[in-house]
Amino acid sequence: MTTIFDTIKAVAFEIDTAIKTSDLGYSDSENSSGEDQLKLDVQSDIIIEKAFASVAVVKNLVSEEKEGVLELNEGGKYTICYDPLDGSSLVDVNLSVGSIFGIYEGELKAENLVASAYVVYGPRIELMIATKGEAPMLSRIIGGEFKEIGSVTMGEKGKLNAPGGTQQNWCDYHKTFIDDLFAEGYRLRYSGGMVPDLHQIMLKGGGLFSYPGTSDKPHGKLRQLFEVIPFAFMYEQAGGQAINNKGMRLMELVPSHPHDTSPCFFGSNYEIEALKKAYGIKN
Ligand code: AFP
């Protein structure tokens, strides 16, 4: 696993350089979810694919930017599902973005996730790595290389509320729930970038990030294998919770297609329990 994390550290530097120097225009292609691809999306995907091609323990890659599974090394052990540049539409307005990695062993389902990592490209490059049974570890660049800063745990109750999705397409009880959190004094913290938005809640003691099913996206927008499950793992390992709109742990998801999405709620215990009550979830 160490070679995988070292490779993620190496691609973090390359992608950060690409963000700062590359053309911000659109390519003439779409990704598997039918979204227009920025040249930077494609470039970041190529950087990651090339880097892992020489890592013997990596059997396959699944990218948000490509259809299907790419076999790299027949004798490999892990499949890495990744979003090379999540939130890339924010780069041209100079907001933070990120790369997300889910490391799976065997069938691609949540219970087979053995580790997850993400990189935040912001005023600093930051890396978070979570492995089974360990709280997520935050690393920052000091002296030109990643140095571990400390493990991250979330409080029982936070102060931040990151409500995703188009509000006019929320169901009534979700809107009431979100408004009630603001009435309790929660502060709005939502940039439209999943990685910095979830990173902020973890580092600032907790709160709630929600991307519900909506009338235009009943199954949510965020992809299970390379966005939802890696962060669900992080949040649970940090002492929080991660569930869908039925109260099911996101760590029990079994995608039927590599690009399946899911409604998702990540947060501290207080906020998730409040959401279960608002959604009439009994467990
Ligand atoms: P882009 O990659 O198209 O910028 O979308 C980013 C994202 O997938 C995720 O990072 C955000 O949490 C979410 O979309 C924001 O979606 P809304 O703009 O619908 O809230």
Side-chain angles (χ1 to χ4, degrees):
M1 199 78 78
T2 309
T3 50
I4 291 176
F5 298 143
D6 289 344
T7 304
I8 291 173
K9 291 172 185 173
V11 302
F13 284 104
E14 279 193 73
I15 292 175
D16 186 60
T17 302
I19 288 168
K20 291 178 168 63
T21 57
S22 296
D23 175 348
L24 299 183
Y26 278 91
S27 69
D28 53 7
S29 58
E30 286 184 347
N31 67 13
S32 309
S33 304
E35 297 159 336
D36 291 337
Q37 283 180 308
L38 286 163
K39 289 174 186 167
L40 211 41
D41 287 321
V42 176
Q43 189 177 353
S44 303
D45 188 32
I46 291 167
I47 287 169
I48 292 171
E49 183 182 321
K50 280 185 175 170
F52 279 118
S54 58
V55 179
V57 291
V58 177
K59 183 178 177 62
N60 298 313
L61 294 179
V62 180
S63 168
E64 187 206 49
E65 300 304 335
K66 287 199 286 281
E67 190 58 51
V69 178
L70 175 69
E71 182 163 318
L72 282 185
N73 304 295
E74 197 177 345
K77 186 176 178 185
Y78 303 110
T79 294
I80 298 180
C81 299
Y82 64 93
D83 184 349
L85 198 61
D86 182 82
S88 54
S89 66
L90 301 171
V91 171
D92 62 357
V93 292
N94 204 24
L95 288 178
S96 297
V97 291
S99 300
I100 312 168
F101 303 85
I103 298 137
Y104 298 81
E105 187 174 352
E107 185 190 345
L108 294 181
K109 57 183 179 180
E111 69 182 57
N112 287 346
L113 186 89
V114 294
S116 71
Y118 65 82
V119 180
V120 188
Y121 308 100
R124 292 189 293 245
I125 308 176
E126 295 194 339
L127 169 69
M128 193 78 86
I129 291 175
T131 53
K132 277 200 187 298
E134 299 289 330
M137 177 58 71
L138 171 68
S139 295
R140 287 191 179 125
I141 293 172
I142 298 168
E145 58 185 20
F146 281 104
K147 291 281 194 301
E148 289 187 351
I149 302 298
S151 57
V152 176
T153 52
M154 294 171 69
E156 272 302 298
K157 180 180 188 302
K159 298 184 179 68
L160 305 183
N161 186 10
T166 307
Q167 296 201 22
Q168 72 180 61
N169 298 330
W170 291 349
C171 65
D172 292 346
Y173 55 83
H174 182 76
K175 173 130 181 63
T176 303
F177 168 64
I178 295 297
D179 291 346
D180 287 350
L181 285 181
F182 285 128
E184 269 189 65
Y186 281 75
R187 294 198 293 279
L188 171 62
R189 291 291 184 275
Y190 191 77
S191 74
M194 178 183 196
V195 175
D197 290 344
L198 282 160
H199 186 61
Q200 177 175 199
I201 289 170
M202 276 224 283
L203 294 194
K204 294 267 187 181
L208 180 78
F209 175 99
S210 52
Y211 204 110
T214 53
S215 54
D216 60 330
K217 298 184 177 88
H219 300 291
K221 172 183 182 183
L222 302 178
R223 273 65 53 136
Q224 295 182 24
L225 281 175
F226 26 72
E227 292 170 326
V228 173
I229 295 168
F231 269 106
F233 186 70
M234 286 274 174
Y235 267 58
E236 288 195 350
Q237 301 282 104
Q241 292 187 51
I243 62 171
N244 69 5
N245 55 310
K246 296 186 169 44
M248 183 182 111
R249 288 177 58 236
L250 296 169
M251 287 307 294
E252 292 171 9
L253 285 171
V254 182
S256 51
H257 180 278
H259 293 270
D260 277 355
T261 61
S262 171
C264 52
F265 308 95
F266 307 86
S268 318
N269 292 314
Y270 172 86
E271 290 83 357
I272 295 292
E273 293 307 320
L275 180 123
K276 289 177 185 174
K277 195 168 170 208
Y279 273 57
I281 294 164
K282 296 287 179 275
N283 65 352

